[in-house]
Amino acid sequence: MAEKSEKYSPRASHDEKHFHGAPDGSSIVEGSEGVTEYELATLRHVADRLPYTSWLVVICEFAERWSYYGTTNIYNNYIQFKLPPGSRNGSVPKALRDGNVVAGALGQGQQKSFALRTFNSFWVYCTPFVGGILADTLWGRYKTIMIFSIVCLIGHIILTASATPTALEHSSTSLGLLALSIVVMGLGAGSIKANVSPMIAEQYTGKLRKETLPSGEVVIKSPAVTIQSMYLWFYAAVNFGSCGAISASFLARDNGYWAAFLVPTCIFAIVPFVLLFGRKNYIVTPPRGSILVETVRCINCALAPRWSWNPVTTYRRCKSADFWDIAKPSHYAEGSVPTKITWDDEFVDEVDRTISACKVFLFFPIFWLCYSQIDGNLGTIAAGMTLDGTPNDLIQNLNPISIIVMIPIFDYIIYPLLRKRGINFSPIKRIYTGFLVAGLAMVYASVLESYQNKLTPCRGGEFDKQPAACEIDGVHYSTPLNVWIVAGPYILVGMAEIFASITSLEYAFTKAPKRMKSVVMAFSQFQTALSAALNFALTAVNVETKFVWLFASFAIASWIAGTIFFFTFRTLDRREVELNAIGQGERFGFVDESPEMTSGTRKV
């Protein structure tokens, strides 16, 4: 990876007195290789280079995302629309492709399509807990990814079988196989998802240090900048993979759904082989079977003395500055540490930091509600527009394409320019911006649907239907609006993801204890499942007749939630360096481990 700079403003550091040690900034930053606080504030920060093993894991994620989006992005048409005239596999006959006929298969309608797709989103973001717990307590990340890649591959095979012409002759059989594949694939994909992004980042083991460039300039090699840049490019790889859905739309239209599902299956089959290729060189954090139990014990140890039947009293005690002290071994005299305390002081600080991070994630269901609209509802809007041979479910691929285009712009131009100007565009500010942009995307969608409703040929009279369902005498009629007008929300949601979603990955990794990164990542991703559950509760209003007000409501909710989020957590930004340093310095370790085992990593 090329070096990218992050320049901190010396003026801001001095004026705001950010030094935590000696007033002149001569104290060494904890966990660094001899970097002083003054040097941290005044020297230019650059990203370090990444080992090749990180890129091997990125290839696995690329293939997994190709297979995921290459199937789920065409679920809407596959489930909602019936077989086109003369088709046995869902493809559109060649003579009809230049018109407004869309591919389809099961003919279950908008609401059933929405319900199945929403369940898929809910399920695939619940199962990361399975992979996260198994990785952190039993198998480790490498073995967990390997096992569940086989599970996911089996799910893809079942999905492909559901779309064969023979299966589609019996729609109930095909629907049953589809439901089974969603369960199996969701278990595999979710369990992989909790572990891939932590495993990529843990391949980098560098520490904060000074380095002299050939030009003579002394710079800071910053793990924080490295991880920020790493997750930007990781997300780019995710979206490169999701562009596989572009081919899926055309394969479904031209060759049928069995072919559209077979290609992602073949792509996913490379994952186990890539994992095996680098197995002797991966850096991994060894699992600790009791880590979740010890975390619960640690929280209970700090909470028990604060408990009161008066909730106000309990809340006040929990907000005290010394809340965690009683859970630290250093709180007790030598030889009198309770036997239930098997951890060191640093672990208590890590748990404190993790809880703060998890509170941040609790606001994300509202953000993901906005994102969920590009999965199907915007595709339904597109189905009512003039397609001119363009598959309506192709448009949603503008979301990953826009992300791929924008990430280099953000990483090489926008973020460095903000840092050069002394603007601290910290994680909390980035997430807040993501909420605002997501709300703007929903406003665009609401206004567009309102306008399209006025143009549909089926407005009023005998054929009073919404644009996507507009048929007169069996012939589909579209509005004169070109389908590419719907691109706006997809691009805006992509920009919102760069601000909020990528930052959440970065936040989950940097704020979790080394032994709990997969579980904390799973908790972060679980917010998407909560969003899907909320969306499922709104099934009755997820119909095209109510899209205008649905989108507008999501916009308002995103802006309100984002503003509350910012004012709740803005103080965490001031502690960013301090929080990231926890667990990086010397420590005593768990009682049954050496300090090196507690804080270190090893090869597979």
Side-chain angles (χ1 to χ4, degrees):
M1 178 180 291
E3 291 184 351
K4 290 163 284 294
S5 65
E6 175 170 358
K7 193 160 186 173
Y8 283 74
S9 169
R11 181 181 65 255
S13 298
H14 291 166
D15 292 349
E16 297 173 18
K17 303 185 186 301
H18 283 173
F19 298 141
H20 298 286
D24 62 354
S26 61
S27 298
I28 300 297
V29 176
E30 185 178 7
S32 72
E33 297 180 358
V35 178
T36 66
E37 291 189 347
Y38 179 80
E39 290 168 334
L40 181 69
T42 57
L43 295 179
R44 187 164 65 96
H45 289 211
V46 300
D48 219 340
R49 292 188 178 274
L50 299 181
Y52 86 96
T53 48
S54 288
W55 298 110
L56 287 179
V57 185
V58 166
I59 291 172
C60 293
E61 178 67 359
F62 166 82
E64 190 276 326
R65 289 293 87 184
W66 180 301
S67 68
Y68 179 78
Y69 287 107
T71 54
T72 59
N73 277 22
I74 56 176
Y75 276 173
N76 187 45
N77 281 12
Y78 180 61
I79 301 168
Q80 179 176 350
F81 300 113
K82 61 187 179 182
L83 289 167
S87 174
R88 294 182 63 243
N89 56 17
S91 63
V92 178
K94 193 170 183 179
L96 302 176
R97 287 176 195 166
D98 292 333
N100 293 311
V101 178
V102 297
L106 301 182
Q108 299 296 309
Q110 162 68 16
Q111 282 191 299
K112 285 187 180 179
S113 170
F114 171 79
L116 275 171
R117 289 183 291 104
T118 302
F119 170 76
N120 176 66
S121 297
F122 175 78
W123 175 242
V124 82
Y125 285 102
C126 281
T127 54
F129 277 116
V130 177
I133 291 171
L134 287 172
D136 285 341
T137 64
L138 188 63
W139 290 341
R141 282 183 263 282
Y142 173 79
K143 185 176 180 180
T144 301
I145 295 172
M146 177 64 78
I147 290 173
F148 282 103
S149 66
I150 304 299
V151 172
C152 197
L153 184 59
I154 292 171
H156 275 287
I157 293 171
I158 296 172
L159 176 64
T160 303
S162 79
T164 59
T166 303
L168 290 177
E169 289 177 0
H170 309 281
S171 60
S172 59
T173 300
S174 185
L175 187 62
L177 288 172
L178 170 65
L180 177 61
S181 69
I182 286 174
V183 172
V184 177
M185 288 169 57
L187 177 62
S191 298
I192 292 170
K193 197 171 182 64
N195 292 287
V196 167
S197 55
M199 187 170 172
I200 287 172
E202 74 181 357
Q203 301 309 300
Y204 173 71
T205 57
K207 291 193 173 185
L208 195 71
R209 68 186 190 277
K210 291 179 291 185
E211 187 171 297
T212 303
L213 300 179
S215 64
E217 180 190 8
V218 179
V219 297
I220 299 289
K221 289 284 186 177
S222 170
V225 177
T226 303
I227 290 172
Q228 180 187 6
S229 182
M230 179 190 308
Y231 276 121
L232 279 169
W233 289 100
F234 165 72
Y235 211 73
V238 167
N239 284 278
F240 267 117
S242 66
C243 285
I246 296 175
S247 63
S249 297
F250 286 104
L251 281 168
R253 187 196 69 175
D254 298 344
N255 303 101
Y257 282 97
W258 72 270
F261 292 146
L262 179 61
V263 171
T265 302
C266 295
I267 295 291
F268 188 84
I270 73 172
V271 171
F273 296 102
V274 174
L275 288 171
L276 285 171
F277 178 77
R279 68 188 185 280
K280 294 182 179 179
N281 297 301
Y282 293 122
I283 300 294
V284 298
T285 300
R288 179 175 173 85
S290 59
I291 192 69
L292 296 179
V293 174
E294 286 169 315
T295 300
V296 173
R297 274 198 210 138
C298 178
I299 295 171
N300 184 62
C301 185
L303 185 61
R306 320 288 180 177
W307 176 257
S308 169
W309 288 107
N310 185 334
V312 176
T313 301
T314 301
Y315 177 78
R316 189 182 304 117
R317 290 174 178 174
C318 290
K319 296 294 287 183
S320 63
D322 61 348
F323 174 78
W324 292 101
D325 288 357
I326 197 170
K328 295 181 177 181
S330 61
H331 180 74
Y332 304 89
E334 188 174 352
S336 63
V337 179
T339 55
K340 66 180 178 181
I341 296 182
T342 57
W343 50 81
D344 58 8
D345 284 11
E346 288 289 300
F347 180 72
V348 179
D349 290 335
E350 287 178 327
V351 171
D352 179 19
R353 181 181 65 181
T354 299
I355 290 175
S356 295
C358 289
K359 290 176 183 176
V360 167
F361 302 143
L362 288 175
F363 280 79
F364 270 79
I366 303 301
F367 174 83
W368 293 119
L369 271 179
C370 297
Y371 172 86
S372 69
Q373 301 312 296
I374 72 173
D375 183 35
N377 286 347
L378 285 175
T380 300
I381 292 176
M385 295 180 169
T386 299
L387 300 177
D388 290 329
T390 302
N392 68 302
D393 52 3
L394 176 70
I395 307 300
Q396 65 195 68
N397 293 288
L398 284 172
N399 172 254
I401 291 172
S402 64
I403 291 174
I404 292 167
V405 171
M406 286 189 285
I407 279 178
I409 296 172
F410 275 84
D411 197 35
Y412 290 112
I413 300 174
I414 295 177
Y415 286 161
L417 180 62
L418 291 175
R419 292 190 288 261
K420 185 177 180 180
R421 300 282 184 181
I423 298 172
N424 179 24
F425 199 33
S426 53
I428 300 301
K429 295 188 185 79
R430 277 182 270 153
I431 293 172
Y432 177 41
T433 304
F435 274 81
L436 297 181
V437 176
L440 187 60
M442 292 299 97
V443 170
Y444 187 123
S446 179
V447 172
L448 178 60
E449 175 67 358
S450 176
Y451 185 56
Q452 180 165 240
N453 286 341
K454 298 176 182 178
L455 299 177
T456 177
C458 293
R459 185 167 183 250
E462 181 183 354
F463 304 102
D464 191 12
K465 296 180 180 179
Q466 294 302 112
C470 180
E471 286 190 2
I472 301 176
D473 297 330
V475 179
H476 178 76
Y477 283 82
S478 61
T479 66
L481 295 177
N482 188 281
V483 70
W484 292 100
I485 296 175
V486 81
Y490 290 109
I491 296 172
L492 288 171
V493 168
M495 183 181 296
E497 287 179 77
I498 291 175
F499 287 125
S501 180
I502 296 178
T503 305
S504 75
L505 293 174
E506 174 192 335
Y507 215 74
F509 180 81
T510 58
K511 303 302 181 288
K514 288 181 181 294
R515 297 289 184 79
M516 283 182 60
K517 291 191 183 296
S518 290
V519 171
V520 174
M521 190 66 72
F523 183 82
S524 169
Q525 293 165 349
F526 180 64
Q527 307 315 305
T528 307
L530 293 180
S531 172
L534 287 173
N535 218 2
F536 195 78
L538 297 172
T539 299
V541 294
N542 264 281
V543 290
E544 198 174 3
T545 55
K546 296 181 171 63
F547 276 179
V548 173
W549 293 107
L550 184 71
F551 296 151
S553 299
F554 286 167
I556 294 170
S558 184
W559 289 337
I560 292 175
T563 301
I564 295 173
F565 165 86
F566 177 72
F567 284 101
T568 301
F569 296 113
R570 58 181 176 171
T571 56
L572 289 178
D573 277 342
R574 300 169 195 158
R575 301 178 56 211
E576 184 68 11
V577 174
E578 173 194 346
L579 292 173
N580 287 342
I582 294 173
Q584 300 302 314
E586 294 184 5
R587 60 190 305 174
F588 288 98
F590 290 97
V591 294
D592 58 343
E593 293 181 345
S594 67
E596 291 76 17
M597 289 178 63
T598 297
S599 60
T601 55
R602 60 173 173 80
K603 295 289 182 72
V604 173

